[in-house]
């Protein structure tokens, strides 16, 4: 194993433990070993791994730059499997930015390259990501089918890490549909895998989604405990995206308790943390929560303004189910 390989593997291990600053430094060391004009497939992989860490912590533009550099190396190598991986990542960026048509195009290209490169695990990942896309669009039967297909792929391959990802997505889907027992089963199964693997990032993401589930179930004490745990971990990792999501969850808890001023403060912090992430769904969700908070405190004009903005943003990113839900909230506001 070369020094570059050793550094890259050390970076992956640090990332799994939630040591993001160390992981980023090790990725940079690996890239320095490879050289700025390397055609080694490892260079494409390291650039992609670093880009994904940046993406997952909310640094979307910087992540995209790394993916484009990875794609340039992948094209120099001529290896279909290397190209397939980075196309999948670029599709996730397009999806976050609300360009669902471009995301679908990139997923299709990634699938073609993965098939050519015999990358069966990646095909399962693309299935899962297409499930997320279907979920955004409100096509829940398609999302469920794609998740279940990818889950079977990963279970057959014995890929526990990928299984935990899909279980998390299935849990989120069932929470959204109000199937809370089923959601809890999927999320707790995914959490057990993450803990067994000492995968700090996945553990904290699933913990936050369990908090969202308990908000839906009105167990606010447990929801607050899990939300606080996830927020503290996100802050330790300098993960601004997860921090913004946790703060939005905390605002829901505060709204349900009638702590409206605290809820507004949490949403203001969520907006600040979400800056730079370019996650348009998250921005719309923060805006919708602000509208519901204004509604519950009796400020109908502010509620109408916030919910109207959220509905437009949901429609702009193709999240039609969320748009309709938000428009229904608007319709039920009292005149004023």
């Amino acid at each position: 194993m070369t020094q570059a390989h050793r550094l890259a593997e050390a970076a992956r291990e640090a990332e799994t433990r939630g040591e993001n600053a160390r992981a980023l430094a090790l990725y940079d060391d690996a890239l320095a070993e490879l050289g700025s004009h390397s055609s080694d497939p490892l260079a494409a992989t390291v650039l992609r791994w670093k880009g994904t860490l940046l993406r997952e912590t909310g640094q979307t533009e910087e992540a995209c730059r790394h993916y484009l550099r990875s794609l340039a190396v992948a094209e120099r190598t001529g290896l279909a499997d290397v190209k397939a991986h980075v196309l999948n990542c670029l599709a996730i960026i397009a999806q976050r930015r609300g360009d669902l048509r471009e995301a679908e195009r990139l997923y299709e290209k990634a699938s073609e390259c993965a098939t050519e490169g015999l990358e069966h695990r990646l095909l399962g990942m693309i299935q899962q990501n297409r499930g997320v896309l279907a979920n955004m669009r409100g096509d829940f039967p398609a999302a469920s089918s794609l998740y279940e297909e990818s889950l079977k792929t990963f279970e057959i391959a014995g890929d526990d890490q990928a299984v935990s990802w899909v279980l998390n997505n299935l849990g989120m889907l069932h929470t959204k549909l109000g199937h809370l027992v089923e959601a809890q089963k999927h999320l707790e199964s995914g959490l057990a895998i993450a803990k067994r693997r000492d995968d700090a990032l996945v553990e904290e993401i699933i913990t936050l989604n369990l908090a969202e589930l308990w908000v839906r179930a009105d167990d606010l004490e447990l929801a607050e405990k899990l939300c606080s745990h996830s927020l503290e971990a996100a802050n330790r990792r300098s993960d601004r995206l997860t921090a913004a999501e946790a703060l939005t969850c905390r605002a829901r808890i505060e709204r349900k308790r009638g702590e409206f001023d605290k809820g507004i403060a949490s949403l203001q912090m969520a907006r600040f943390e979400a800056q730079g992430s370019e996650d348009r769904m998250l921005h719309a969700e923060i805006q919708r929560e602000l509208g519901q908070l204004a509604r519950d405190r009796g400020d109908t004009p502010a509620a109408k303004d916030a919910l109207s903005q959220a509905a437009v943003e949901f429609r702009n990113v193709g999240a039609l189910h969320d748009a309709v839900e938000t428009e229904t909230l608007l319709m039920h506001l009292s005149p004023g």
Side-chain angles (χ1 to χ4, degrees):
M1 183 184 290
T2 67
Q3 178 66 1
H5 277 90
R6 283 191 286 271
L7 288 164
E9 288 303 318
R12 294 289 274 177
E13 290 171 11
E15 185 178 341
T16 298
R17 293 192 299 269
E19 300 170 3
N20 291 354
R22 176 171 168 75
L24 290 170
L26 287 165
Y27 283 136
D28 285 339
D29 289 344
L31 291 169
E33 283 286 326
L34 290 161
S36 58
H37 300 292
S38 176
S39 293
D40 189 326
L42 180 61
T45 300
V46 174
L47 285 163
R48 174 170 54 81
W49 284 348
K50 183 182 176 187
T52 297
L53 176 53
L54 292 165
R55 185 193 79 214
E56 290 304 306
T57 53
Q59 301 174 70
T60 301
E61 181 56 35
E62 188 65 20
C64 188
R65 282 197 287 268
H66 278 74
Y67 288 152
L68 292 172
R69 287 174 61 196
S70 176
L71 182 61
V73 178
E75 288 176 337
R76 288 201 296 272
T77 70
L79 297 174
D81 58 333
V82 178
K83 187 174 179 180
H85 277 284
V86 72
L87 286 170
N88 177 58
C89 290
L90 284 166
I92 295 170
I93 293 288
Q95 188 169 312
R96 175 177 288 180
R97 288 171 166 168
D99 191 346
L100 304 194
R101 184 174 297 178
E102 176 66 2
E104 190 62 68
R105 185 187 73 82
L106 288 166
Y107 282 137
E108 184 62 37
K109 287 183 66 177
S111 293
E112 291 170 4
C113 291
T115 301
E116 181 184 341
L118 302 177
E119 274 282 339
H120 301 297
R121 180 180 186 271
L122 179 56
L123 284 169
M125 291 170 65
I126 294 167
Q127 278 181 319
Q128 178 189 209
N129 291 338
R130 280 182 154 161
V132 175
L133 196 63
N135 189 26
M136 279 183 68
R137 287 172 165 156
D139 190 347
F140 301 132
S144 180
S145 177
L146 287 161
Y147 290 154
E148 293 290 354
E149 286 174 23
S150 64
L151 183 62
K152 288 176 187 174
T153 299
F154 295 137
E155 285 177 336
I156 291 169
D159 190 334
D160 282 351
Q161 181 185 43
V163 166
S164 69
W165 299 337
V166 185
L167 288 170
N168 176 62
N169 282 326
L170 278 165
M172 291 171 67
L173 174 62
H174 284 290
T175 298
K176 192 167 192 173
L177 295 173
H179 306 157
L180 301 188
V181 173
E182 191 73 8
Q184 183 181 357
K185 181 184 76 173
H186 287 306
L187 290 171
E188 289 183 346
S189 295
L191 184 61
I193 293 171
K195 286 182 174 179
R196 188 168 67 244
R197 295 187 64 258
D198 196 25
D199 191 333
L201 177 60
V202 175
E203 181 181 340
E204 297 314 324
I205 289 170
I206 296 177
T207 296
L208 180 55
N209 288 324
L210 276 167
E212 294 281 6
L213 182 154
W214 293 117
V215 173
R216 288 285 298 269
D218 286 325
D219 188 337
L220 301 186
E221 184 177 349
L222 180 53
E224 182 181 35
K225 179 181 176 182
L226 295 172
C227 182
S228 296
H229 180 76
S230 186
L231 179 58
E232 288 167 8
N235 287 333
R236 282 197 304 271
R237 294 194 314 270
S238 300
D239 180 351
R240 297 186 66 184
L241 187 61
T242 303
E245 292 168 345
L247 286 161
T248 306
C249 178
R250 189 172 79 182
R252 291 192 185 99
I253 296 167
E254 289 161 344
R255 171 171 60 84
K256 286 200 166 193
R257 286 176 168 164
E259 299 170 346
F260 302 129
D261 290 340
K262 287 184 178 180
I264 290 171
S266 292
L267 291 172
Q268 288 171 338
M269 286 188 282
R271 278 179 166 169
F272 173 77
E273 294 291 352
Q275 287 176 6
S277 72
E278 301 182 60
D279 191 325
R280 294 179 67 186
M281 276 292 289
L282 176 57
H283 283 283
E285 287 163 5
I286 292 170
Q287 195 67 19
R288 176 167 62 186
E289 183 56 37
L290 186 63
Q292 290 178 282
L293 195 153
R295 175 202 63 194
D296 289 358
R297 75 184 305 179
D299 189 346
T300 301
K304 285 182 176 178
D305 182 58
L307 291 172
S308 296
Q309 290 180 47
V312 168
E313 185 63 13
F314 281 130
R315 286 200 174 274
N316 285 343
V317 300
L320 299 184
H321 178 83
D322 286 282
V324 170
E325 278 193 338
T326 307
E327 287 159 359
T328 301
L329 291 173
L330 268 168
M331 288 172 57
H332 286 91
L333 285 175
S334 58

